[in-house]
């Protein structure tokens, strides 16, 4: 009989490529992972791994078994969710949610407040994370639900085993300080007029940082002078309000923005963002997880509107 926990290690090794990466993702020691994979190989009765330098290469038999492991893990999770659904008296349990900053503040927090009144037995645990690593953590069962986003022209991969539900789409704006000379008499803004202006955006390599470069090069015809990198929205808005930089931000991030901020559509680009939730396929039949997803849908409908300028 093949052990499901060891099959999960094989599945993760197929996805991540190294024993060290599996150990780090699942909070095991590399020696424990190697030992358990060796036991799995004996259970399977065939060669699953071949040395390839300092790494393990999966044999054809291991790749076949890894595909079955993914299906078995999904089936077990569906069975657990159905059992919880059938046996539920009160809706309760822990739901681990990975979310980016603005979604945490304007969607997840209101959902948690709603749940405190409607389902007090549901405990939400927030883990702030960028969408890409959060979605990988979801596939590895480290999270139960992810709030993520994608930008026009840069779609997220549709990962196998995940169920995605779009919550809303919103525009992305150029954000400058009030009275910025790039704002013309008619109130419009030309992106090319910001060629000499310092920019602020997220950490290097982040989705926001890449977005600024892509939009400025594509719609403005210039490489932005990125002077400031911060993932703190409050600091980003303060830099703009004090005329230290300009930036790009989606509508939700402008809710509650300080005075002195002017937002305009990105000229020459049909740019937007879609915010979505993701769970492992079938897992949201678990009553606590379904309750969190319902509360997020409600929060998305009543989310705060950006200021009109």
């Amino acid at each position: 009989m093949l052990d499901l926990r060891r099959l999960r290690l094989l599945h993760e090794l197929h996805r991540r490529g190294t024993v060290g990466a599996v150990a780090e993702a699942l909070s095991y020691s590399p020696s424990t992972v190697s030992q358990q994979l060796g036991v799995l190989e004996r259970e399977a009765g065939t060669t699953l791994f071949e040395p390839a330098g300092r790494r393990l290469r999966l044999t054809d038999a291991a790749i076949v078994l890894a595909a079955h492991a993914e299906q078995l893990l999904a089936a077990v999770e569906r069975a657990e969710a159905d059992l919880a659904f059938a046996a539920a008296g009160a809706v309760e349990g822990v739901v681990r949610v990975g979310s980016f900053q603005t979604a945490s503040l304007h969607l997840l927090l209101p959902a948690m407040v709603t749940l405190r009144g409607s389902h007090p037995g549901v405990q939400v645990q927030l883990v702030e994370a960028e969408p890409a690593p959060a979605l990988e953590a979801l596939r590895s069962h480290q999270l139960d639900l992810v709030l993520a986003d994608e930008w026009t022209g840069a779609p997220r991969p549709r990962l196998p085993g995940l169920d995605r539900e779009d919550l809303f789409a919103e525009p992305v704006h150029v954000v400058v300080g009030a009275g910025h000379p790039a704002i013309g008499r008619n109130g419009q803004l030309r992106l090319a007029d910001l060629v000499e202006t310092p920019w602020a955006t997220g950490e290097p390599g982040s989705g926001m940082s890449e977005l600024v470069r892509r939009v400025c090069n594509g719609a403005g015809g210039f490489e932005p002078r990125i002077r400031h990198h911060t993932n703190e929205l409050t600091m980003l808005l303060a830099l703009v309000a004090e005329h230290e930089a300009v930036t790009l931000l989606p509508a939700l991030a402008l809710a509650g923005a300080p005075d002195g901020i002017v937002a305009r559509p990105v000229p020459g680009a049909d740019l937007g963002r879609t915010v979505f939730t993701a769970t492992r396929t079938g897992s949201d039949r678990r009553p606590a997880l379904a309750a969190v997803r319902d509360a997020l849908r409600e929060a998305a409908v009543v989310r705060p509107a950006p200021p009109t300028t």
Side-chain angles (χ1 to χ4, degrees), residues 23-66:
E24 182 178 358
L26 301 183
S27 300
Y28 292 138
S29 68
S31 60
T32 297
V33 174
S34 296
Q35 181 188 41
Q36 291 301 305
L37 289 173
V39 174
L40 177 63
E41 188 170 53
R42 291 194 294 275
E43 290 175 342
T46 188
T47 302
L48 298 178
F49 313 105
E50 295 174 345
R54 301 182 64 180
R55 305 176 66 162
L56 287 180
R57 186 180 71 82
L58 272 63
T59 64
D60 290 345
I63 293 172
V64 169
L65 187 56

Side-chain angles (χ1 to χ4, degrees), residues 93-97 108 111-112 115 121-127 288 292:
V94 176
V95 179
R96 300 161 298 176
V97 180
L108 185 58
M112 292 164 65
L115 288 164
V122 175
Q123 179 184 337
V124 175
Q125 293 182 352
L126 165 64
V127 178
V292 173

Side-chain angles (χ1 to χ4, degrees), residues 203-215:
E203 294 296 334
S206 67
M208 277 301 301
S209 179
E210 294 304 313
L211 177 74
V212 167
R213 283 198 158 88
R214 178 164 57 87
V215 170

Side-chain angles (χ1 to χ4, degrees), residues 35-180:
Q35 181 188 41
Q36 291 301 305
L37 289 173
V39 174
L40 177 63
E41 188 170 53
R42 291 194 294 275
E43 290 175 342
T46 188
T47 302
L48 298 178
F49 313 105
E50 295 174 345
R54 301 182 64 180
R55 305 176 66 162
L56 287 180
R57 186 180 71 82
L58 272 63
T59 64
D60 290 345
I63 293 172
V64 169
L65 187 56
H68 283 289
E70 183 170 18
Q71 296 175 12
L72 288 169
L73 290 166
V76 167
E77 183 157 42
R78 285 194 298 271
E80 290 173 343
D82 287 345
L83 178 62
F85 181 79
V91 179
E92 56 187 20
V94 176
V95 179
R96 300 161 298 176
V97 180
S99 175
F100 59 97
Q101 189 182 94
T102 51
S104 300
L105 177 61
H106 295 301
L107 298 175
L108 185 58
L109 183 57
M112 292 164 65
V113 173
T114 297
L115 288 164
R116 192 167 64 229
S118 61
H119 299 296
V122 175
Q123 179 184 337
V124 175
Q125 293 182 352
L126 165 64
V127 178
E128 282 203 349
E130 286 289 305
L135 290 168
E136 286 300 322
L138 178 63
R139 295 184 73 195
S140 296
H141 295 246
Q142 296 167 279
L143 296 171
D144 301 306
L145 183 146
V146 166
L147 265 167
D149 59 4
E150 69 178 14
W151 310 95
T152 303
R156 300 275 175 197
R158 269 44 174 183
L159 299 171
L162 297 187
D163 171 45
R164 166 177 163 155
E165 179 183 320
D166 292 351
L167 292 178
F168 59 88
E170 61 178 356
V172 174
H173 302 287
V174 182
V175 187
V176 303
H180 194 285

Side-chain angles (χ1 to χ4, degrees), residues 233-307:
L233 179 61
T234 301
M235 186 61 187
L236 199 61
L237 290 170
L239 287 167
V240 174
E242 296 297 333
H243 291 262
E244 290 295 328
V246 299
T247 191
L248 294 177
L249 284 174
L252 188 64
L254 293 171
D259 293 337
I261 295 286
V262 175
R264 291 290 183 269
V266 180
D270 182 18
L271 186 63
R273 176 176 77 162
T274 299
V275 176
F276 63 93
T277 60
T279 60
R280 289 181 297 279
T281 302
S283 66
D284 67 352
R285 282 186 58 80
R286 181 159 66 94
L289 182 51
V292 173
R293 214 170 194 183
D294 285 343
L296 286 169
R297 293 186 191 105
E298 180 180 336
V301 171
V302 298
R303 66 188 185 276

